[in-house]
Amino acid sequence: MTMLSIAERHKIILEALNKNGFVKITDIAQELGVTTVTIRKDIKILAEKGLLYKVHGSARATNPHVVDTDFKIKHACNMEVKNRIAAEMAKMVDSNDSLIISSGSTTYTVATHLLQNATLQNVKVVTSFLKIATLLSESESFNVIQLGGPVRHTSLSTLADESWGNFDFICNKFILGVDGIDAEFGISTSTIEEARLTQRMIEHSSKTIVVADSSKFGQRGFGRICGFDNIDMLITDKNAPAQMIEIIEDAGVEVILV
């Protein structure tokens, strides 16, 4: 390979970021035939120019760290995509199913689609999300268990970790909304408390299905939930980065693009 100039290396790094949302230092060094020290220096220069965000061992197109955002703000974002994802998820729910549904704007949209399905009967729903419990309780088709505990004002959900000690059950599907999907960090949410509760929910379900639009890719919430090997299915939109989808599928996860 012909020795590349600094400008050429920078162009290749930025093009990879634009395509995939992230680059690993070791991968780009191997591809370009240079040392990892060289690529670290390149990434430092690009970060100082505000062209990327440096993370240990890699670089991202934007700051990957998620802040805890109010539900109303989240709910207003990407609604057309969330509706497509929610409609796909809702088709997988049958009468007599038992569901755990996490908090989140996409999971709430799933709940609105479930409520519109007049054929569903005797669906059991366990949730920490006050708005989902209230919504689905309007219909006799749903038997809702609202988990108790302190209420988070931003997410309108309860931090119900201790409540699990009062229940001895397992649900056949867990519908999970997340704040971040990252190649190295796995799936995450904005707080440690929410992450711990979600881990308990995974333990109490036979199948974990993540519903998340493509804006969540390359993002990292403060609380890590788990790696990709702990989830069974991901429903997202077609704008999700192809390299990330390949990594997730290689972990054994079924991916549906809508």
Side-chain angles (χ1 to χ4, degrees):
M1 177 184 289
T2 304
M3 185 65 69
L4 298 172
S5 67
I6 293 175
E8 288 171 327
R9 291 199 308 271
H10 289 186
K11 182 173 182 291
I12 291 171
I13 291 170
L14 293 174
E15 286 175 347
L17 277 176
N18 185 56
K19 179 181 178 182
N20 302 314
F22 75 101
V23 292
K24 288 186 177 181
I25 289 173
T26 52
D27 290 347
I28 203 77
Q30 184 176 6
E31 179 185 339
L32 300 184
V34 297
T35 66
T36 56
V37 173
T38 297
I39 298 302
R40 285 195 187 95
K41 290 179 180 177
D42 289 337
I43 285 175
K44 182 180 179 182
I45 291 169
L46 293 170
E48 288 172 349
K49 292 180 179 179
L51 298 174
L52 52 76
Y53 192 93
K54 186 178 181 297
V55 180
H56 179 70
S58 63
R60 310 299 163 111
T62 58
N63 185 342
H65 298 291
V66 175
V67 296
D68 191 12
T69 307
D70 188 277
F71 169 77
K72 293 177 182 177
I73 297 174
K74 288 182 179 180
H75 188 57
C77 298
N78 303 321
M79 275 308 301
E80 191 273 331
V81 171
K82 289 176 182 175
N83 268 306
R84 294 205 313 266
I85 293 169
E88 185 67 26
M89 178 67 246
K91 289 191 297 185
M92 301 180 189
V93 176
D94 302 311
S95 293
N96 302 307
D97 268 354
S98 54
L99 310 175
I100 301 175
I101 307 180
S102 77
S103 63
S105 57
T106 306
T107 55
Y108 181 77
T109 308
V110 172
T112 64
H113 281 262
L114 294 176
L115 193 63
Q116 294 166 12
N117 186 347
T119 67
L120 288 178
Q121 298 293 326
N122 191 37
V123 178
K124 299 177 183 66
V125 176
V126 179
T127 186
S128 60
F129 194 14
L130 301 176
K131 289 180 71 67
I132 286 179
T134 302
L135 178 71
L136 295 182
S137 293
E138 296 175 6
S139 171
E140 294 183 356
S141 298
F142 299 93
N143 302 311
V144 179
I145 297 175
Q146 167 69 62
L147 296 175
V151 177
R152 286 183 61 220
H153 295 290
T154 52
S155 66
L156 300 177
S157 63
T158 58
L159 301 176
D161 191 45
E162 293 182 2
S163 296
W164 291 97
N166 300 321
F167 298 109
D168 186 16
F169 63 81
I170 188 163
C171 292
N172 64 319
K173 297 184 181 79
F174 174 24
I175 304 172
L176 170 58
V178 301
D179 289 321
I181 302 174
D182 183 82
E184 297 163 311
F185 198 59
I187 62 173
S188 56
T189 188
S190 57
T191 71
I192 291 176
E193 294 83 3
E194 193 92 26
R196 287 172 179 166
L197 174 59
T198 304
Q199 290 163 2
R200 299 296 300 275
M201 290 176 167
I202 291 173
E203 292 171 1
H204 282 258
S205 60
S206 298
K207 183 175 186 178
T208 297
I209 305 168
V210 173
V211 288
D213 66 79
S214 56
S215 70
K216 305 298 174 63
F217 284 78
Q219 299 293 297
R220 295 182 176 189
F222 186 68
R224 183 179 187 271
I225 297 170
C226 64
F228 301 132
D229 55 340
N230 290 108
I231 65 175
D232 301 287
M233 180 183 290
L234 166 66
I235 305 176
T236 188
D237 61 89
K238 294 179 181 178
N239 290 325
Q243 185 177 1
M244 279 286 293
I245 294 299
E246 184 178 346
I247 290 170
I248 294 168
E249 288 180 328
D250 287 345
V253 179
E254 179 182 357
V255 177
I256 297 177
L257 302 175
V258 296

